[in-house]
């Protein structure tokens, strides 16, 4: 794929759209399993391709809203989900809900989620120190 004026995100979207579905596995590293970004899942949902999302502790809030997920400890659930996803209406439901979810995840929202995990209180976010000019 050649770089376009639309940038790298567009290239990823073109790549993702070449597949019928995508599998999003959670991170297995101890720290990242519990404290990780939803950015990868949200980016792939935004592509309009249905995804099968593994529910790790850090992705649990996404799994509450997204119908095409499976428990990270259950191979049976993954197998059952993949079987359901053979149905085009199930895949379309995944796409529709995924697009709806992505509208909530602006860059500011993703950064706020990171800052929450890092323990920075909301009142200390997005403020400029005194006497610093705006750019």
């Amino acid at each position: 794929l050649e770089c376009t004026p639309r940038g790298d995100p567009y290239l990823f979207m073109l790549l993702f759209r070449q597949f019928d579905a995508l599998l999003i596995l959670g991170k297995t590293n101890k720290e990242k399993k519990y404290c990780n970004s939803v950015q990868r899942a949200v980016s792939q949902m935004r592509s309009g391709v249905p995804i099968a999302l593994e529910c790790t502790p850090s992705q649990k809030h996404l799994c509450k809203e997204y119908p095409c997920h499976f428990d990270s400890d259950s191979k049976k659930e993954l197998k059952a989900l993949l079987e359901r996803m053979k149905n085009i209406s199930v895949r379309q439901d995944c796409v529709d809900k995924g697009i709806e979810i992505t509208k909530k995840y602006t860059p500011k929202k993703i950064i706020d989620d990171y800052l929450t995990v890092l323990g920075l209180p909301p009142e200390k976010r997005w403020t400029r120190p005194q006497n610093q000019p705006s750019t």
Side-chain angles (χ1 to χ4, degrees), residues 36-110:
N36 196 21
S37 169
V38 297
Q39 183 174 352
R40 192 166 44 109
V42 169
S43 294
Q44 292 183 31
M45 284 178 184
R46 188 171 284 124
S47 73
V49 176
I51 67 168
L53 177 65
E54 179 181 26
C55 283
T56 59
S58 63
Q59 310 272 30
K60 284 254 187 253
H61 61 286
L62 270 184
C63 294
K64 290 177 186 175
E65 299 179 63
Y66 189 66
C68 298
H69 67 274
F70 63 97
D71 189 307
S72 60
D73 297 325
S74 177
K75 289 181 183 178
K76 276 186 180 179
E77 275 189 37
L78 172 58
K79 193 172 183 176
L81 173 59
L82 295 176
E83 192 62 37
R84 284 194 323 273
M85 288 179 80
K86 289 179 181 179
N87 181 320
I88 194 155
S89 64
V90 170
R91 289 197 311 273
Q92 187 60 53
D93 187 38
C94 296
V95 169
D96 294 344
K97 193 61 181 171
I99 296 294
E100 184 181 317
I101 289 169
T102 65
K103 290 177 182 176
K104 299 176 189 176
Y105 284 88
T106 62
K108 183 182 181 306
K109 166 74 169 123
I110 292 170

Side-chain angles (χ1 to χ4, degrees), residues 111-128:
I111 291 169
D112 275 340
D113 285 352
Y114 270 126
L115 295 176
T116 296
V117 167
L118 295 173
L120 186 64
E123 62 274 5
K124 293 193 176 191
R125 299 177 195 174
W126 309 107
T127 57
R128 224 179 249 107

